[in-house]
């Protein structure tokens, strides 16, 4: 069932209104248009209606009624999934369940044990404000994207930040889920038949299978609360930045980062971000307002922009944490010596970086401050089109450089700009690619679509997959997997959501 028929949807909405009140349902044309809009190269997906549950019991009621009326639901937390589908459902006509509007409580913050428990509507900003208000010792891991995004929604979609806890699903411990069949399950130690669950959010490895991963990038249930681990805020945070001049330097950068991460000199992820990724967060395309089609930036124009913004072809950023400035000094000297040994890197002292807007996204994300530093990217070209392409790569400089070359060529072939940031650990780097295009121009949108597929092929031909995928490409990617894994995903769907009411088609699971 991809979409329900209009008669059953009308009966379902009447039943939800009777059970939860009129405030829980909105099917006005303006709300549907707003929620259905996205940034991808495909028509908007207008939902049949938007529902606003206020509790897990409300979600249970909605799911049970959806089963009764065979209506397809699409759950979102705050729906700030920009470049990946925004708030729009998988297909027009599905009913969006927007949890964030009324389920937005911070249930607990435990300073001593270092975790929080949140409902879907708790945003990065709300958590930051609450930690500040309490004078908490904890530091959260924000994204460089929308500060009004959901901690829970981002984590279940496997989003990430740049600090030591940057892989957000890794921090999830203990979930509550309303399954597609209407059952409420609590994972880990939340599943013990007891009044009290003291271990629910402090250990992931309880009795039985670890089920939590089933509820990431899937459609088996609606997540209504999660525990999230946080770290102690370090007394001193020292950023470092290096500029590398040439496009081909990426390979050397990756090979330099790997041993630093392996030796645990740097606690944060280390990001290698290219010129236009950073510059697009500061200004529009220089010919944005010119009439007619926007030709891609020439190499000479790109070099001019590098000079204007004081960046190289690649910028490396990360942070050191310690008890004081003096305590982190030896590690800083080691990091500097390490990168400068290449003979190509230019060290940018923190005094030079701190006042400059172009470095704020890195500074904020490594300091636990949500600030939306990269959102201006969406304005690079007219029409606000954006697609994220998010493959990974082994931390092998030659391999990453080959990907860089292939994707740069793909961007040029389709008349768009190459924008990429590699978020590096010891073994693996997530390669975040922004394809920015004019969504109001169907010809340019078609080129952006072909560019996405071509870039994916660059990675796929080397046996490398994407991480998160935009909604319109989820079937395409699922079809690139073996039949056995697809069958396993669909069998779990059948077991937990036999009528297929939760987000049919999400991540290619039917
Ligand atoms: C310029 C820019 C920079 C960005 N930078 C980053 C970044 O640094 N890191 C990053 O991770 N992302 C980034 N993003 C992508 C995206 O905007 C964020 O990940 C954002 O946090 C996702 O929106 P959300 O948190 O509101 O989650 P939602 O949109 O609410 O959720 C994401 C998806 O998860 C599913 N889902 C959500 N809640 C539930 C639930 N309760 N039960 C079941 N399924 C659910 C839904 O399918 C939903 O579409 C960036 C985007 C832009 C435009």
């Amino acid at each position: 069932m991809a979409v329900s028929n209009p008669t059953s949807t009308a009966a379902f909405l009447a039943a939800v209104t009777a059970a939860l009140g009129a405030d829980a349902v909105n099917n006005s044309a303006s709300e549907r248009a707003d929620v259905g809009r996205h940034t991808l190269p495909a028509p908007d997906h207008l939902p049949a209606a938007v529902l606003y549950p206020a509790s897990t019991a409300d979600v249970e009621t909605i799911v049970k009624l959806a089963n009764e009326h065979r209506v397809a639901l699409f759950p979102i937390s705050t729906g700030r999934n920009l470049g990946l589908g925004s708030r729009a459902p998988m297909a027009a006509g599905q009913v969006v369940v927007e949890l964030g509007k009324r389920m937005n409580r911070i249930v607990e913050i435990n300073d001593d044990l270092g975790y929080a428990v949140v409902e879907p509507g708790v945003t990065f900003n709300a958590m930051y404000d609450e930690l500040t208000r309490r004078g908490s010792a904890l530091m959260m891991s924000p994204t460089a994207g929308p500060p009004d995004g959901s901690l829970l929604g981002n984590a279940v979609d496997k989003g990430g930040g740049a600090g030591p806890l940057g892989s957000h699903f890794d921090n999830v411990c203990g979930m509550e889920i309303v399954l597609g069949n209407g059952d409420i399950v609590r994972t880990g130690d939340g599943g013990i038949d007891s009044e009290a669950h003291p271990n629910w959010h402090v250990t992931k490895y309880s009795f039985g299978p670890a089920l939590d991963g089933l509820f990431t990038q899937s459609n088996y249930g609606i997540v209504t609360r999660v525990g999230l681990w946080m770290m102690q805020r370090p007394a001193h945070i020292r950023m470092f930045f290096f500029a590398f001049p040439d496009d081909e330097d990426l390979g050397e950068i990756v090979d330099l980062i790997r041993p630093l991460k392996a030796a645990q000199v740097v606690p944060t992820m280390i990001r290698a971000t290219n010129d236009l990724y950073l510059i697009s967060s500061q200004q529009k395309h220089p010919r944005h307002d010119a009439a007619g089609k926007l030709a891609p930036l020439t190499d000479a124009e790109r070099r001019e922009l590098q000079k204007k913004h004081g960046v190289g072809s690649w910028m490396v950023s990360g942070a050191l944490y310690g008890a004081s400035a003096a305590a982190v000094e030896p590690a800083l000297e080691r990091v500097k010596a390490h990168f400068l040994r290449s003979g190509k890197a230019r060290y940018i002292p923190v005094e030079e970086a701190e006042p400059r807007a172009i470095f704020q996204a890195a500074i904020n994300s490594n300091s636990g401050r949500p600030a939306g530093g990269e959102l201006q990217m969406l304005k690079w070209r007219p029409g606000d089109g954006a697609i994220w392409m998010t493959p990974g790569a082994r931390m092998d400089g030659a391999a990453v450089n080959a990907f860089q070359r292939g994707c740069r060529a793909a961007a040029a072939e389709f008349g768009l700009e190459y924008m990429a940031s590699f978020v590096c650990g010891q073994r693996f780097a997530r390669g975040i690619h922004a394809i920015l295009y004019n969504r109001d121009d169907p010809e340019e949108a078609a080129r952006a679509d072909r560019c996405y597929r071509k870039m994916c092929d660059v990675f796929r031909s080397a046996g490398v997959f994407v991480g998160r995928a935009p909604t319109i490409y989820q079937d395409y990617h699922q079809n690139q997997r073996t039949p056995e894994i697809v069958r396993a995903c669909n069998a779990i769907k059948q077991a937990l959501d036999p009528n297929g009411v939760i987000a049919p088609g999400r991540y290619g699971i039917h």
Side-chain angles (χ1 to χ4, degrees), residues 360-373:
Q360 292 313 306
I363 293 173
N364 285 323
S365 54
N366 283 301
S367 309
R369 275 193 302 266

Side-chain angles (χ1 to χ4, degrees), residues 206-388:
S206 179
F207 176 83
L211 294 179
D212 305 62
L214 285 181
F215 304 101
T216 62
Q217 297 190 350
S218 70
N219 55 8
Y220 303 139
I222 299 183
V223 184
T224 48
R225 93 170 37 180
V226 294
L228 282 176
W229 288 351
M230 286 190 264
M231 62 178 280
Q232 290 275 315
R233 171 170 289 282
H236 185 77
I237 299 173
R238 179 70 188 240
M239 290 296 303
F240 59 80
F241 294 94
F242 295 92
F244 281 75
D246 297 321
D247 297 345
E248 287 286 303
D249 290 340
L250 181 62
E252 184 175 1
I253 293 170
V254 164
D255 288 336
L256 284 168
I257 291 174
R258 188 183 53 248
L260 275 185
K261 286 299 299 171
Q264 304 194 8
V265 180
V266 178
T268 63
M269 308 296 271
I270 303 182
R271 254 180 111 155
T273 305
N274 90 329
D275 45 13
L276 292 182
Y277 189 106
L278 289 168
I279 289 165
S280 66
S281 72
Q282 300 302 308
Q283 68 160 79
K284 294 177 178 172
H285 189 297
R287 283 178 274 106
H288 180 281
D289 298 326
K293 282 215 185 290
L294 197 54
L297 220 56
T298 64
D299 215 44
E301 286 174 318
R302 182 161 68 95
R303 297 286 169 197
E304 265 315 297
L305 286 177
Q306 287 182 358
K307 267 197 227 131
K308 175 177 163 194
H309 290 277
V311 296
S313 280
W314 291 97
M315 297 297 298
V316 171
S317 64
L320 299 165
Y321 296 160
S324 63
V328 298
E329 202 52 38
L332 181 64
E333 288 310 314
R334 188 167 163 192
V335 170
K336 272 164 67 179
H338 185 76
F339 280 109
L340 295 178
R341 207 172 52 208
S342 79
K344 300 197 87 178
R346 181 170 67 85
Y347 174 62
I348 300 179
V350 76
E351 303 72 38
E352 193 188 313
E354 245 161 15
R356 291 171 55 193
I358 201 157
F359 296 124
Q360 292 313 306
I363 293 173
N364 285 323
S365 54
N366 283 301
S367 309
R369 275 193 302 266
E374 291 176 355
L375 283 176
Q376 162 76 21
M377 288 176 92
L378 297 176
K379 300 284 170 205
W380 174 250
R381 282 175 172 252
D384 299 354
I387 317 172
W388 287 116

Side-chain angles (χ1 to χ4, degrees), residues 169 175 177 179 185-188 204 207-216 220 496:
F169 179 65
M175 305 171 96
I177 305 115
L179 299 180
V185 295
R186 300 187 179 95
T187 62
K204 298 183 188 194
F207 176 83
L211 294 179
D212 305 62
L214 285 181
F215 304 101
T216 62
Y220 303 139
L496 302 185

Side-chain angles (χ1 to χ4, degrees), residues 74-88 90 97 99 120 124 142-146 148-162 166 168 177 215 217-219 221-225 271 277 365 372-378 386 388 432 468 471 474 502-503 506-507:
F74 185 77
I76 57 170
S77 288
T78 47
R80 299 290 283 148
N81 215 14
L82 310 177
L84 293 156
S86 305
R87 291 201 282 170
M90 295 305 301
V97 183
L99 298 130
F124 292 95
T143 70
D148 53 351
S150 156
L151 286 164
L152 182 156
N154 181 271
V156 299
D157 211 28
K158 298 195 214 147
H168 289 164
I177 305 115
F215 304 101
Q217 297 190 350
S218 70
N219 55 8
I222 299 183
V223 184
T224 48
R225 93 170 37 180
R271 254 180 111 155
Y277 189 106
S365 54
E374 291 176 355
L375 283 176
Q376 162 76 21
M377 288 176 92
L378 297 176
W388 287 116
I432 303 167
R468 275 162 104 182
T471 45
Q474 291 175 359
I502 311 287
R506 183 158 193 267
Y507 275 86

